[in-house]
Amino acid sequence: DCNAEAALALAERIRECVYTEQISVARPVTVSIGVAQVSAQESPAQALARADAALLRAKREGRNRVEFAWAG
């Protein structure tokens, strides 16, 4: 349980660590992350669907990024 700012900071640290890690492959390894703020009025499935939509948005916007979905 954390606030939006802490969740985004953690996701960004994970993304940065993956990108800067020396992995023996032909090209850089990246990660796209979708983060969702969970509302008390929604089901876990709804929150997960919003996180998934944020992940797809991150991939569509150029990959190797973090996107956030506010509760609403």
Side-chain angles (χ1 to χ4, degrees):
D1 188 24
C2 63
N3 64 31
E5 186 176 305
L8 283 169
L10 176 60
E12 183 58 33
R13 278 194 353 240
I14 292 168
R15 187 205 61 77
E16 181 71 23
C17 285
V18 169
Y19 184 72
T20 59
E21 185 64 31
Q22 298 293 324
I23 300 173
S24 298
V25 292
R27 58 184 178 187
V29 175
T30 64
V31 62
S32 298
I33 301 173
V35 178
Q37 183 179 39
V38 179
S39 164
Q41 291 79 30
E42 68 183 342
S43 70
Q46 290 170 314
L48 187 57
R50 289 187 310 98
D52 187 51
L55 170 62
L56 294 175
R57 193 167 55 252
K59 289 180 177 183
R60 185 176 58 244
E61 295 295 320
R63 301 182 182 256
N64 194 36
R65 57 187 294 129
V66 175
E67 288 290 332
F68 190 79
W70 293 96

